[in-house]
Amino acid sequence: MKAIHIHGRGGPETLVYEEAPKPHPAQGEVLVRVYAAGVMAPELTWEPTYQTNAGQKRALPVPGHDMSGVVEEVGPGVTDINVGSEVYALTAFERDGSAAEYIIALPSELAPKPRSLDHRQAASVPLAALTAWQAFFDHAKLSAGQTVLIHGAAGGVGVFAVQLAHWAGAHVIATASPRNHDFLRELGADEIIDYTNARFEDVVHDADIVLDTIGGDTQERSWSVLKKGGVLVAIATPPSTEQAQAYGVHCVWFIVEPSREQLIRIGKLIDAGQMKPIIDTVFPLAQAREAYEQGTKGHTRGKIVLRVHDEVEEE
């Protein structure tokens, strides 16, 4: 099969499109033919990208961990997933990813692909939507009527965060450049702050939750906008517990985890028209290096996706 391998640590320049052995599912595993894969540029700097669960170094890892495809083969012991099923998933970071024609996945990672989406749209969902879901509902315990500030609202995670917070009945405040203001209003943002022209801490007060997808100075300036007992949830850089205590608030930093159950719930929201994926650009698998280069520049609207197989082949 064809796959993208990471040749040494670095950036997109380390990515090579080349032949690789087609994997076969072992006990409890599933082989999926990948139709599309999501791009998450920061993963090239993540330690789990280069190590196994046991901490051993991985040779020529395959990036990409969200995908949409069709079940090709099931291993011994797999009884609840059928060959030919259309699925989407976030797979564990410690295994080879989805920037390849085939991927090994676990039944606990695979959910039915939303019926209303094609494979490219579906591949843009898992990592970003699960991150937003887990940030709000697992870690921040978001409830209706709360005020939420979302940084990087037009990015891959941000577009789902805006939609999920709106669906949950929160008052949604987003930071974004002017070109994304109308777009974010359509997704459910109640207020939008132009970060190029205003300091959000001068506008926002007594927020219940801040979702920080950026880190750095943005995170430092976010403490003061939270009400006492509020929560800062960070996904880019770990926040300071000392700072949180000084402001009388809580902080959380987490790495998204695969979840079949949550993807099923997200898929139902999508099929019901409550939420939709946003794709910035689609690249063919052979141009993965260019896709990751675009991702490292930031300021994307939604997700960058790799096209692995053309869907017309199934018609």
Side-chain angles (χ1 to χ4, degrees):
M1 69 172 184
K2 292 291 188 181
I4 302 298
H5 284 140
I6 305 175
H7 284 255
R9 299 206 179 208
E13 73 281 355
T14 65
L15 300 178
V16 179
Y17 176 68
E18 60 190 356
E19 292 287 338
K22 181 180 176 181
H24 293 283
Q27 178 80 26
E29 294 181 341
V30 178
L31 178 69
V32 179
R33 186 187 196 202
V34 180
Y35 275 71
V39 169
M40 187 66 177
E43 72 174 298
L44 299 182
T45 67
W46 294 348
E47 199 61 34
T49 301
Y50 301 93
Q51 293 184 349
T52 66
N53 238 342
Q56 298 170 324
K57 184 178 178 181
R58 294 167 57 202
L60 300 178
V62 177
H65 292 279
D66 45 5
M67 63 88 182
S68 182
V70 176
V71 174
E72 179 92 355
E73 184 182 351
V74 298
V78 177
T79 58
D80 57 347
I81 295 179
N82 298 319
V83 171
S85 298
E86 293 188 321
V87 293
Y88 78 143
L90 170 67
T91 61
F93 299 113
E94 297 83 7
R95 300 197 311 275
D96 278 340
S98 55
E101 292 183 322
Y102 294 90
I103 186 174
I104 293 292
L106 302 180
S108 60
E109 298 166 340
L110 296 170
K113 180 182 74 66
R115 297 184 305 276
S116 59
L117 302 183
D118 62 29
H119 284 292
R120 296 174 201 176
Q121 293 169 321
S124 73
V125 173
L127 186 147
L130 284 173
T131 300
W133 183 283
Q134 292 170 17
F136 285 146
F137 304 125
D138 293 352
H139 297 291
K141 309 303 180 185
L142 173 64
S143 60
Q146 291 188 317
T147 295
V148 176
L149 173 63
I150 300 169
H151 292 307
V157 172
V159 295
F160 285 107
V162 169
Q163 294 178 86
L164 279 174
H166 173 74
W167 168 74
H171 181 79
V172 183
I173 306 173
T175 62
S177 61
R179 78 179 185 95
N180 288 313
H181 286 198
D182 290 342
F183 161 70
L184 288 170
R185 284 191 186 92
E186 293 173 2
L187 294 184
D190 298 292
E191 297 180 50
I192 304 169
I193 300 170
D194 174 9
Y195 67 79
T196 68
N197 197 39
R199 293 178 68 82
F200 63 84
E201 65 268 36
D202 295 334
V203 180
V204 182
H205 308 284
D206 292 329
D208 295 282
I209 300 167
V210 172
L211 176 58
D212 171 31
T213 69
I214 298 172
D217 179 63
T218 297
Q219 185 179 101
E220 287 300 308
R221 291 159 49 208
S222 293
W223 298 111
S224 64
V225 309
L226 285 162
K227 66 170 56 173
K228 296 295 183 183
V231 185
L232 185 149
V233 183
I235 62 171
T237 55
S240 164
T241 54
E242 290 79 11
Q243 284 276 68
Q245 291 172 358
Y247 280 93
V249 300
H250 306 284
C251 65
V252 177
W253 178 77
F254 77 100
I255 297 173
V256 63
E257 296 181 353
S259 173
R260 168 185 169 86
E261 292 76 16
Q262 290 174 354
L263 279 181
I264 289 173
R265 296 184 69 180
I266 288 166
K268 289 178 179 177
L269 285 177
I270 290 172
D271 283 339
Q274 298 286 336
M275 196 162 62
K276 63 181 180 180
I278 306 296
I279 294 179
D280 185 278
T281 319
V282 177
F283 290 86
L285 179 63
Q287 294 179 18
R289 182 180 294 184
E290 290 88 338
Y292 276 81
E293 284 173 351
Q294 180 168 318
T296 60
K297 296 174 184 175
H299 302 290
T300 58
R301 178 183 284 188
K303 190 83 171 181
I304 300 171
V305 173
L306 297 175
R307 184 185 78 249
V308 181
H309 284 109
D310 288 325
E311 299 187 46
V312 293
E313 294 177 10
E314 292 295 303
E315 296 179 358

